[in-house]
Amino acid sequence: MTENALHRLRPVDLDFLTDAPVKFTYEVELPAPVEAVFAAISADPSTWTWFPGLADGRYESPAPHGVGTKRAIALEGTAYRETMLAWDVPGRWAYRVDASTDTTFLALAEDWVMEPRGTGSILQWTFAVEPQPELAELIAGAGEMIGTVFANAMVSFSDHLRAATG
């Protein structure tokens, strides 16, 4: 797929995570400390075998990775090109989508915030979007579906963390 086949999204910054027209935030308790959670999330995207539907993932920027790093993901037949907006070890990892084969959104950003909880951690995930105007009502009503995708991914992620941390 050529870069020209991708739909360009509006570049946004971290403020978009607060100001987005539509946003969903979900929270899950995980069986690993924040350092292990951050390490697993920020690892080479090809290791995201725990995320349902992920067919391909890679960093397109050289290490060390951090704010500004480029990432490419293929998820259930949809390609995404992303830029990291936050890389705050071990508590926050956020990115925006710069381009995608999916034309649903004008802008999209995700925020992954981790906090300690006992011997594990709490992960709060925010999915912030500006949908195409004709899809605004549909996307605004998709919170339960998006929450189900997140919950299923987190069951698999918990298993991944248990295996990685023993």
Side-chain angles (χ1 to χ4, degrees):
M1 172 168 317
T2 67
E3 200 66 24
N4 293 340
L6 297 177
H7 160 71
R8 295 266 171 215
L9 281 73
R10 182 169 57 83
V12 296
D13 58 21
L14 290 172
D15 289 341
F16 184 74
L17 293 160
T18 303
D19 302 336
V22 179
K23 69 179 180 175
F24 304 102
T25 300
Y26 307 94
E27 192 171 279
V28 65
E29 191 164 345
L30 294 170
V34 293
E35 295 82 5
V37 173
F38 188 92
I41 289 171
S42 64
D44 177 343
S46 69
T47 66
W48 277 39
T49 55
W50 51 268
F51 198 90
L54 182 70
D56 185 32
R58 66 188 175 284
Y59 284 118
E60 296 186 316
S61 299
H65 299 120
V67 173
T69 291
K70 303 293 185 186
R71 188 172 86 138
I73 299 292
L75 181 66
E76 296 182 350
T78 302
Y80 299 91
R81 297 292 185 273
E82 304 163 344
T83 298
M84 296 295 126
L85 299 175
W87 195 290
D88 305 331
V89 180
R92 186 177 193 196
W93 188 77
Y95 63 88
R96 71 169 179 244
V97 174
D98 297 315
S100 176
T101 55
D102 181 358
T103 61
T104 302
F105 304 109
L106 298 173
L108 186 159
E110 294 186 24
D111 197 16
W112 302 64
V113 176
M114 294 131 276
E115 296 180 3
R117 168 80 52 94
T119 59
S121 57
I122 295 291
L123 171 65
Q124 184 180 74
W125 177 66
T126 299
F127 181 77
V129 298
E130 179 183 351
Q132 295 285 355
E134 66 275 12
L135 299 173
E137 191 174 317
L138 178 69
I139 299 301
E144 185 176 335
M145 181 193 70
I146 293 167
T148 298
V149 170
F150 175 72
N152 290 340
M154 291 302 101
V155 168
S156 182
F157 188 46
S158 291
D159 292 343
H160 172 82
L161 290 168
R162 280 187 198 92
T165 59

